[in-house]
């Protein structure tokens, strides 16, 4: 499978999956949105919110892919520089997680009387950092020599969406009450954030040495 993905320009699909899962595991507005919707409206509400989150991600990934593809086509050397900036950005996020003072992972954005799907969609779109994240994230796993343009970006987006669906499904099915209590446990949340920070710093360093 690794060779198949590499043939269309994705350097390491397993690292892509691992990095995506680490980001999904960090408590944030999306996680709390799914938990809230599943608490209020059950499994159907939770999965509706997940679908909204995924649609929002697709919109942002599409916008980011257009920018990355244009840069890759116009100036391959500048694209390489973007890869290093992306690695530095991951390390920066890792340092912030490592030295965070435990303010909490995020809060639910209250959209009263909104459908669960719409809530998930809006929670994603109102995050201005998301598109910056994807602009930095995509180049880290692209091989300019073998990338296939739209096919490569669509495949990467599909992998990320599958990870989101898997993680979101676990949030809904494992149990809303247990997940909410875990999210409120600051000790566990802080340890998880610091572990994720160390992973991201190491991951960024590895990418710059490849």
């Amino acid at each position: 499978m690794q060779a198949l993905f590499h043939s269309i320009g994705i350097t390491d699909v397993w690292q892509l999956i691992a990095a995506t899962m680490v980001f999904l595991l960090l408590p944030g507005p999306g996680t709390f949105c799914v938990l809230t919707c599943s608490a209020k409206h059950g499994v159907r509400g939770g999965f509706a919110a997940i679908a909204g989150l995924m649609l929002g991600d697709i919109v942002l990934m599409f916008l980011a892919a257009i920018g990355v593809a244009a840069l890759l086509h116009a100036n391959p050397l500048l694209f390489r520089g973007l890869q290093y900036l992306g690695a530095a950005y991951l390390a920066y996020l890792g340092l912030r997680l490592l030295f965070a003072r435990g303010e909490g992972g995020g809060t639910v954005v209250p959209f009263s009387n909104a459908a669960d799907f719409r809530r998930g969609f809006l929670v994603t779109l109102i995050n201005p950092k998301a598109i910056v994240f994807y602009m930095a994230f995509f180049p880290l796993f692209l091989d300019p020599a073998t990338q296939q343009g739209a096919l490569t970006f669509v495949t990467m987006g599909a992998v990320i969406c599958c990870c989101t669906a898997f993680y979101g499904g676990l949030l809904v099915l494992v149990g809303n009450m247990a997940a909410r209590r875990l999210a409120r446990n600051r000790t566990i949340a802080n340890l998880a954030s610091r572990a994720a920070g160390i992973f991201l710093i190491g991951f960024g360093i590895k990418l710059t040495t490849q």
Side-chain angles (χ1 to χ4, degrees):
M1 186 174 73
Q2 178 72 22
L4 175 63
F5 281 94
H6 191 269
S7 68
I8 59 173
I10 300 176
T11 55
D12 193 326
V13 68
W14 295 115
Q15 286 188 357
L16 173 61
I17 292 172
T20 301
M21 292 305 299
V22 167
F23 281 108
L24 288 173
L25 287 169
L26 296 175
T31 297
F32 289 98
C33 175
V34 172
L35 291 175
T36 301
C37 291
S38 59
K40 290 182 177 179
H41 305 125
V43 172
R44 292 181 63 181
F47 279 107
I50 293 169
L53 290 172
M54 292 172 63
L55 180 60
D57 278 336
I58 289 171
V59 171
L60 296 180
M61 283 188 285
F62 174 74
L63 295 175
I66 291 176
V68 172
L71 183 60
L72 174 61
H73 179 73
N75 194 324
L77 184 60
L78 192 58
F79 173 80
R80 183 62 176 169
L82 183 61
Q83 288 183 309
Y84 281 105
L85 285 176
Y89 180 63
L90 288 186
Y92 165 74
L93 293 178
L95 287 171
R96 288 193 61 182
L97 289 171
L98 192 59
F99 296 105
R101 296 182 178 276
E103 296 90 344
T107 58
V108 179
V109 181
F111 295 105
S112 59
N113 301 320
D116 294 320
F117 175 86
R118 189 178 181 183
R119 178 183 296 198
F121 181 66
L122 292 175
V123 161
T124 302
L125 289 189
I126 64 174
N127 182 4
K129 297 180 180 179
I131 191 169
V132 177
F133 167 75
Y134 284 122
M135 283 286 290
F137 193 65
F138 278 158
L140 299 176
F141 304 96
L142 278 178
D143 183 353
T146 59
Q147 62 90 21
Q148 301 295 318
L151 175 61
T152 301
F153 286 111
V154 169
T155 303
M156 293 178 72
V159 170
I160 294 173
C161 285
C162 286
C163 291
T164 301
F166 175 75
Y167 172 69
L170 287 180
L171 278 182
V172 175
L173 297 176
V174 164
N176 176 63
M177 291 303 297
R180 291 177 70 180
R181 288 177 181 175
L182 180 62
R184 291 172 180 171
N185 190 315
R186 289 193 173 186
T187 301
I188 296 177
N190 288 339
L191 288 175
S193 293
R194 282 162 175 71
I198 293 172
F199 173 87
L200 293 178
I201 294 170
F203 190 59
I205 294 173
K206 179 181 178 182
L207 289 170
T208 59
T209 58
Q210 287 181 344

Coordinates of all heavy atoms in Angstrom, one line a residue, residues 70-129:
A70 N -0.7 25.7 -6.7 CA -0.2 26.8 -7.5 C 1.2 27.1 -7.2 O 2.1 27.4 -8.1 CB -1.1 28.0 -7.2
L71 N 1.6 27.0 -5.9 CA 3.0 27.3 -5.5 C 3.9 26.2 -6.1 O 5.0 26.5 -6.5 CB 3.1 27.4 -4.0 CG 4.4 27.7 -3.4 CD1 4.9 29.1 -3.9 CD2 4.4 27.7 -1.9
L72 N 3.5 25.0 -6.0 CA 4.3 23.9 -6.5 C 4.6 24.1 -8.0 O 5.7 23.8 -8.5 CB 3.6 22.6 -6.3 CG 4.3 21.3 -6.8 CD1 5.6 21.1 -6.3 CD2 3.4 20.1 -6.5
H73 N 3.6 24.5 -8.7 CA 3.7 24.6 -10.2 C 4.6 25.8 -10.5 O 5.4 25.8 -11.5 CB 2.3 24.8 -10.8 CG 2.4 25.0 -12.3 ND1 2.7 24.0 -13.2 CD2 2.2 26.1 -13.1 CE1 2.6 24.4 -14.4 NE2 2.3 25.7 -14.4
A74 N 4.5 26.9 -9.8 CA 5.1 28.2 -10.1 C 6.6 28.2 -9.7 O 7.5 28.7 -10.4 CB 4.4 29.3 -9.4
N75 N 6.9 27.6 -8.5 CA 8.3 27.6 -8.0 C 8.6 26.5 -7.1 O 8.3 26.5 -5.9 CB 8.5 29.0 -7.2 CG 9.9 29.3 -7.0 OD1 10.7 28.4 -6.7 ND2 10.3 30.5 -7.0
P76 N 9.2 25.4 -7.7 CA 9.5 24.2 -6.9 C 10.4 24.5 -5.7 O 10.3 23.9 -4.6 CB 10.1 23.3 -7.9 CG 9.6 23.7 -9.2 CD 9.5 25.2 -9.1
L77 N 11.3 25.4 -5.9 CA 12.3 25.7 -4.8 C 11.5 26.4 -3.6 O 11.8 26.1 -2.4 CB 13.4 26.7 -5.3 CG 14.5 27.0 -4.2 CD1 15.2 25.7 -3.8 CD2 15.5 28.0 -4.9
L78 N 10.6 27.3 -3.9 CA 9.8 28.0 -2.9 C 8.9 26.9 -2.2 O 8.6 27.0 -1.0 CB 9.0 29.1 -3.5 CG 8.3 30.0 -2.6 CD1 9.3 30.7 -1.7 CD2 7.5 31.1 -3.3
F79 N 8.4 25.9 -3.0 CA 7.6 24.9 -2.4 C 8.4 24.1 -1.4 O 7.9 23.7 -0.3 CB 7.1 23.9 -3.5 CG 6.4 22.7 -3.0 CD1 5.1 22.8 -2.6 CD2 7.1 21.5 -2.9 CE1 4.4 21.6 -2.1 CE2 6.4 20.4 -2.4 CZ 5.1 20.4 -2.0
R80 N 9.7 23.9 -1.7 CA 10.6 23.2 -0.7 C 10.7 24.0 0.6 O 10.7 23.4 1.7 CB 11.9 22.9 -1.3 CG 12.9 22.1 -0.4 CD 12.4 20.8 -0.1 NE 13.3 20.0 0.7 CZ 13.1 18.8 1.2 NH1 11.8 18.3 1.1 NH2 14.0 18.2 1.9
G81 N 10.8 25.3 0.4 CA 10.9 26.2 1.6 C 9.6 26.1 2.4 O 9.6 26.1 3.6
L82 N 8.4 25.9 1.7 CA 7.2 25.8 2.4 C 7.1 24.5 3.2 O 6.5 24.4 4.3 CB 6.0 25.8 1.4 CG 4.6 25.7 2.0 CD1 4.3 26.9 2.9 CD2 3.6 25.7 0.9
Q83 N 7.8 23.5 2.7 CA 7.9 22.2 3.5 C 8.6 22.4 4.8 O 8.2 21.9 5.8 CB 8.5 21.1 2.6 CG 7.7 20.6 1.5 CD 8.4 19.5 0.7 OE1 9.6 19.6 0.3 NE2 7.7 18.4 0.5
Y84 N 9.7 23.2 4.7 CA 10.4 23.4 6.0 C 9.6 24.3 6.9 O 9.7 24.1 8.1 CB 11.8 24.1 5.6 CG 12.8 23.1 5.1 CD1 13.2 23.1 3.8 CD2 13.5 22.3 6.0 CE1 14.2 22.2 3.4 CE2 14.4 21.4 5.6 CZ 14.8 21.3 4.3 OH 15.7 20.4 3.8
L85 N 8.9 25.3 6.4 CA 8.1 26.1 7.2 C 7.0 25.3 7.8 O 6.6 25.5 9.0 CB 7.4 27.2 6.4 CG 8.4 28.4 6.0 CD1 7.6 29.4 5.1 CD2 8.9 29.1 7.2
G86 N 6.4 24.3 7.1 CA 5.4 23.4 7.6 C 6.0 22.6 8.8 O 5.3 22.4 9.8
A87 N 7.2 22.1 8.6 CA 7.8 21.3 9.7 C 8.1 22.2 10.9 O 7.8 21.8 12.1 CB 9.2 20.7 9.2
A88 N 8.5 23.4 10.7 CA 8.7 24.4 11.8 C 7.4 24.7 12.5 O 7.3 24.8 13.7 CB 9.3 25.7 11.3
Y89 N 6.3 24.8 11.7 CA 5.0 25.1 12.3 C 4.5 23.9 13.2 O 4.0 24.2 14.3 CB 4.0 25.3 11.1 CG 2.6 25.6 11.6 CD1 2.3 26.7 12.3 CD2 1.5 24.7 11.3 CE1 1.0 27.0 12.7 CE2 0.2 25.0 11.7 CZ 0.0 26.1 12.4 OH -1.3 26.4 12.8
L90 N 4.8 22.7 12.8 CA 4.4 21.5 13.6 C 5.2 21.6 14.9 O 4.7 21.3 16.0 CB 4.7 20.2 12.9 CG 3.8 19.8 11.7 CD1 4.1 18.4 11.2 CD2 2.3 19.9 12.1
A91 N 6.5 21.9 14.8 CA 7.3 22.0 16.0 C 6.8 23.1 16.9 O 6.8 22.9 18.1 CB 8.8 22.2 15.6
Y92 N 6.4 24.2 16.3 CA 5.9 25.3 17.1 C 4.6 24.9 17.9 O 4.5 25.2 19.1 CB 5.6 26.5 16.2 CG 4.7 27.6 16.8 CD1 5.2 28.5 17.7 CD2 3.4 27.7 16.4 CE1 4.4 29.4 18.3 CE2 2.6 28.7 16.9 CZ 3.1 29.5 17.9 OH 2.2 30.5 18.4
L93 N 3.7 24.2 17.2 CA 2.5 23.7 17.8 C 2.9 22.7 18.9 O 2.3 22.7 20.0 CB 1.6 23.0 16.8 CG 1.0 23.9 15.7 CD1 0.1 23.0 14.8 CD2 0.1 24.9 16.4
G94 N 3.9 21.9 18.7 CA 4.3 21.0 19.7 C 4.9 21.7 20.9 O 4.6 21.3 22.1
L95 N 5.6 22.7 20.7 CA 6.2 23.5 21.9 C 5.1 24.2 22.7 O 5.1 24.2 23.9 CB 7.2 24.6 21.4 CG 8.5 24.0 20.9 CD1 9.3 25.1 20.2 CD2 9.3 23.4 22.0
R96 N 4.1 24.7 22.0 CA 2.9 25.3 22.7 C 2.2 24.3 23.5 O 1.8 24.6 24.6 CB 2.0 25.9 21.7 CG 2.5 27.2 21.0 CD 1.4 27.9 20.3 NE 0.3 28.3 21.1 CZ -0.8 29.0 20.7 NH1 -0.9 29.2 19.4 NH2 -1.7 29.3 21.6
L97 N 2.0 23.0 23.0 CA 1.4 22.0 23.8 C 2.2 21.6 25.0 O 1.7 21.3 26.0 CB 1.1 20.8 22.9 CG 0.0 21.0 21.8 CD1 0.0 19.8 20.9 CD2 -1.4 21.1 22.5
L98 N 3.5 21.5 24.7 CA 4.4 21.0 25.7 C 4.5 22.0 26.9 O 4.6 21.5 28.1 CB 5.8 20.8 25.1 CG 6.9 20.1 26.0 CD1 6.4 18.7 26.3 CD2 8.2 20.0 25.2
F99 N 4.4 23.3 26.7 CA 4.6 24.3 27.7 C 3.3 25.0 28.1 O 3.3 26.0 28.7 CB 5.6 25.3 27.3 CG 7.0 24.7 27.2 CD1 7.6 24.5 25.9 CD2 7.7 24.3 28.3 CE1 8.8 24.0 25.8 CE2 9.0 23.8 28.2 CZ 9.5 23.6 26.9
A100 N 2.1 24.4 27.6 CA 0.8 25.0 27.9 C 0.6 24.9 29.4 O 1.0 24.0 30.1 CB -0.3 24.2 27.2
R101 N -0.1 25.8 29.9 CA -0.4 25.9 31.4 C -1.7 25.3 31.8 O -2.2 25.5 32.9 CB -0.4 27.4 31.9 CG 1.0 28.0 31.7 CD 1.0 29.4 32.2 NE 2.3 30.0 32.1 CZ 3.3 29.9 33.0 NH1 3.1 29.2 34.1 NH2 4.5 30.5 32.8
G102 N -2.3 24.6 30.8 CA -3.6 23.8 31.2 C -4.8 24.7 31.2 O -5.6 24.5 32.1
E103 N -4.9 25.6 30.2 CA -6.1 26.4 30.1 C -7.3 25.7 29.7 O -8.4 26.1 29.9 CB -5.9 27.6 29.2 CG -4.8 28.5 29.6 CD -3.4 28.1 29.0 OE1 -3.3 27.0 28.6 OE2 -2.5 29.0 29.0
G104 N -7.1 24.5 29.1 CA -8.3 23.8 28.7 C -8.2 23.6 27.2 O -7.6 24.4 26.5
G105 N -8.9 22.6 26.6 CA -8.8 22.4 25.2 C -9.7 23.2 24.3 O -9.4 23.4 23.1
G106 N -10.8 23.7 24.8 CA -11.7 24.5 24.0 C -13.1 24.4 24.5 O -13.3 23.7 25.4
T107 N -13.9 25.2 23.9 CA -15.3 25.2 24.4 C -16.2 24.9 23.2 O -15.9 25.2 22.1 CB -15.7 26.5 25.1 OG1 -15.4 27.5 24.1 CG2 -14.8 26.7 26.3
V108 N -17.4 24.5 23.5 CA -18.4 24.3 22.5 C -18.9 25.7 22.0 O -19.1 26.6 22.8 CB -19.6 23.5 23.0 CG1 -20.6 23.3 22.0 CG2 -19.1 22.2 23.5
V109 N -19.0 25.8 20.7 CA -19.5 27.0 20.1 C -21.0 26.9 20.1 O -21.6 26.0 19.4 CB -19.0 27.3 18.7 CG1 -19.5 28.6 18.1 CG2 -17.4 27.3 18.7
P110 N -21.8 27.7 20.8 CA -23.2 27.5 20.9 C -24.0 28.1 19.8 O -24.2 29.3 19.6 CB -23.5 28.3 22.2 CG -22.5 29.4 22.3 CD -21.3 28.9 21.6
F111 N -24.5 27.3 18.9 CA -25.4 27.7 17.8 C -26.8 27.2 18.2 O -27.2 26.1 17.9 CB -25.0 27.1 16.5 CG -23.7 27.6 16.0 CD1 -22.6 26.8 16.1 CD2 -23.5 28.9 15.5 CE1 -21.3 27.2 15.7 CE2 -22.3 29.3 15.1 CZ -21.2 28.5 15.1
S112 N -27.6 28.1 18.9 CA -28.9 27.7 19.4 C -29.8 27.4 18.2 O -29.8 28.1 17.2 CB -29.5 28.8 20.3 OG -29.6 30.0 19.5
N113 N -30.6 26.3 18.4 CA -31.6 25.9 17.4 C -31.0 25.6 16.0 O -31.7 25.5 15.0 CB -32.7 27.0 17.2 CG -33.4 27.4 18.5 OD1 -33.7 26.5 19.3 ND2 -33.6 28.7 18.7
A114 N -29.7 25.3 15.9 CA -29.1 24.9 14.6 C -29.1 23.4 14.6 O -29.0 22.7 15.6 CB -27.7 25.5 14.6
A115 N -29.2 22.9 13.4 CA -29.1 21.4 13.2 C -27.7 21.0 13.5 O -26.7 21.7 13.4 CB -29.4 21.1 11.7
D116 N -27.6 19.7 13.9 CA -26.3 19.2 14.3 C -25.3 19.2 13.1 O -24.1 19.5 13.3 CB -26.4 17.7 14.8 CG -27.3 17.6 16.1 OD1 -27.1 18.5 16.9 OD2 -28.1 16.7 16.2
F117 N -25.8 18.9 12.0 CA -24.9 18.9 10.8 C -24.4 20.3 10.6 O -23.2 20.6 10.3 CB -25.6 18.4 9.5 CG -24.9 18.5 8.3 CD1 -24.0 17.5 7.9 CD2 -25.0 19.7 7.5 CE1 -23.3 17.6 6.7 CE2 -24.2 19.8 6.3 CZ -23.4 18.7 5.9
R118 N -25.3 21.3 10.6 CA -24.9 22.7 10.4 C -23.9 23.2 11.5 O -23.0 23.9 11.2 CB -26.1 23.6 10.4 CG -25.9 25.0 10.0 CD -27.2 25.7 9.9 NE -27.0 27.1 9.5 CZ -28.0 28.0 9.4 NH1 -29.3 27.6 9.8 NH2 -27.8 29.2 9.0
R119 N -24.1 22.7 12.7 CA -23.3 23.1 13.8 C -21.8 22.6 13.6 O -20.9 23.3 13.7 CB -23.8 22.5 15.1 CG -22.9 22.9 16.3 CD -23.3 22.3 17.6 NE -24.6 22.8 18.0 CZ -25.1 22.7 19.2 NH1 -24.4 22.1 20.2 NH2 -26.3 23.3 19.6
G120 N -21.7 21.3 13.2 CA -20.4 20.8 12.9 C -19.7 21.5 11.8 O -18.5 21.8 11.8
F121 N -20.5 21.8 10.7 CA -19.9 22.5 9.6 C -19.4 23.9 10.0 O -18.3 24.3 9.6 CB -21.0 22.7 8.5 CG -20.5 23.4 7.3 CD1 -19.6 22.8 6.4 CD2 -21.1 24.6 6.9 CE1 -19.2 23.4 5.3 CE2 -20.7 25.2 5.7 CZ -19.7 24.6 4.9
L122 N -20.2 24.7 10.8 CA -19.8 26.0 11.1 C -18.6 26.0 12.1 O -17.8 26.9 12.1 CB -21.0 26.8 11.7 CG -22.1 27.1 10.7 CD1 -23.3 27.7 11.5 CD2 -21.6 28.0 9.6
V123 N -18.6 25.0 13.0 CA -17.5 25.0 14.0 C -16.2 24.9 13.3 O -15.2 25.4 13.7 CB -17.7 23.8 14.9 CG1 -16.4 23.4 15.6 CG2 -18.7 24.1 16.0
T124 N -16.2 24.1 12.1 CA -14.9 24.0 11.4 C -14.6 25.3 10.6 O -13.5 25.8 10.6 CB -15.1 22.9 10.3 OG1 -15.3 21.7 11.0 CG2 -13.8 22.7 9.5
L125 N -15.6 25.9 10.0 CA -15.3 27.1 9.1 C -15.0 28.3 9.9 O -14.3 29.2 9.4 CB -16.6 27.4 8.2 CG -16.9 26.4 7.1 CD1 -18.0 26.9 6.2 CD2 -15.6 26.1 6.3
I126 N -15.4 28.4 11.2 CA -15.1 29.7 11.9 C -13.7 29.6 12.5 O -13.3 30.6 13.2 CB -16.2 29.9 13.0 CG1 -16.2 28.8 14.1 CG2 -17.6 30.1 12.4 CD1 -17.0 29.1 15.2
N127 N -13.0 28.5 12.3 CA -11.6 28.4 12.8 C -10.7 29.0 11.8 O -10.3 28.3 10.8 CB -11.3 27.0 13.2 CG -9.9 26.8 13.8 OD1 -9.2 27.8 14.0 ND2 -9.5 25.6 14.0
P128 N -10.2 30.2 11.9 CA -9.3 30.8 10.9 C -8.0 30.1 10.7 O -7.3 30.3 9.7 CB -9.2 32.2 11.3 CG -9.4 32.2 12.8 CD -10.4 31.1 13.0
K129 N -7.6 29.3 11.8 CA -6.3 28.7 11.7 C -6.3 27.4 10.9 O -5.2 26.9 10.5 CB -5.8 28.4 13.1 CG -5.6 29.6 14.0 CD -5.1 29.2 15.4 CE -4.9 30.5 16.3 NZ -4.5 30.1 17.7

